[in-house]
Amino acid sequence: MEQNVGYQQPAKQGNAMGLTGFILAIIGVVLVWIPILHWIAWLLGLLGLIFSIIGMTKKAPAPKGLAITGLILSVVIFIVYYFINPIIWESAAEAAAGSLLEGM
C-alpha cells in the first residue's frame, strides 16, 4: 500500500476591500479631468477612500499596498476636484469670454 503524501499550498490571502478601493480610485482619477463626468469622479473618490481605509485597517495578514495606493489616489481626486479643476475652468471661461469680446 502506497501512501500519497502531498504538499498543500496555503491559500493566498487577498485584500478585496483594498483592491476595490484601488480600482474605484483609478477610474476616478481618469474621470476627474472630464468636465461633465467630474461629479462621478467625486463619488468614486469617496467610495475608493472608504474601501481603502477598510482594506488598510483589516486585521488579517493581507497585503495592504493596493489599499494604500487607493487611499492616495482618492486624496488626489479630491485635490484635483476642489483646487485644480476650478482654476482650469475659470481660465477657460476667461479665454472664451475674451474671444467672444474680440469678435464683436
Side-chain angles (χ1 to χ4, degrees):
M1 217 165 34
E2 285 185 38
Q3 224 177 14
N4 190 2
V5 178
Y7 175 73
Q8 185 178 7
Q9 292 183 353
K12 287 188 177 182
Q13 294 276 330
N15 192 348
M17 290 292 192
L19 178 64
T20 303
F22 174 71
I23 291 172
L24 291 173
I26 287 286
I27 295 170
V29 165
V30 172
L31 293 180
V32 76
W33 298 103
I34 302 172
I36 297 172
L37 301 176
H38 69 279
W39 64 273
I40 296 174
W42 184 88
L43 181 63
L44 292 175
L46 180 64
L47 290 173
L49 185 71
I50 292 168
F51 282 116
S52 294
I53 289 173
I54 292 170
M56 284 178 52
T57 58
K58 214 173 179 183
K59 297 284 185 202
K64 294 180 179 20
L66 289 178
I68 294 169
T69 307
L71 180 74
I72 292 169
L73 288 176
S74 295
V75 170
V76 167
I77 289 171
F78 291 120
I79 290 171
V80 170
Y81 185 85
Y82 285 111
F83 298 109
I84 297 174
N85 274 350
I87 294 169
I88 294 171
W89 296 334
E90 184 177 337
S91 300
E94 288 176 5
S99 67
L100 284 175
L101 292 176
E102 287 177 7
M104 295 180 142

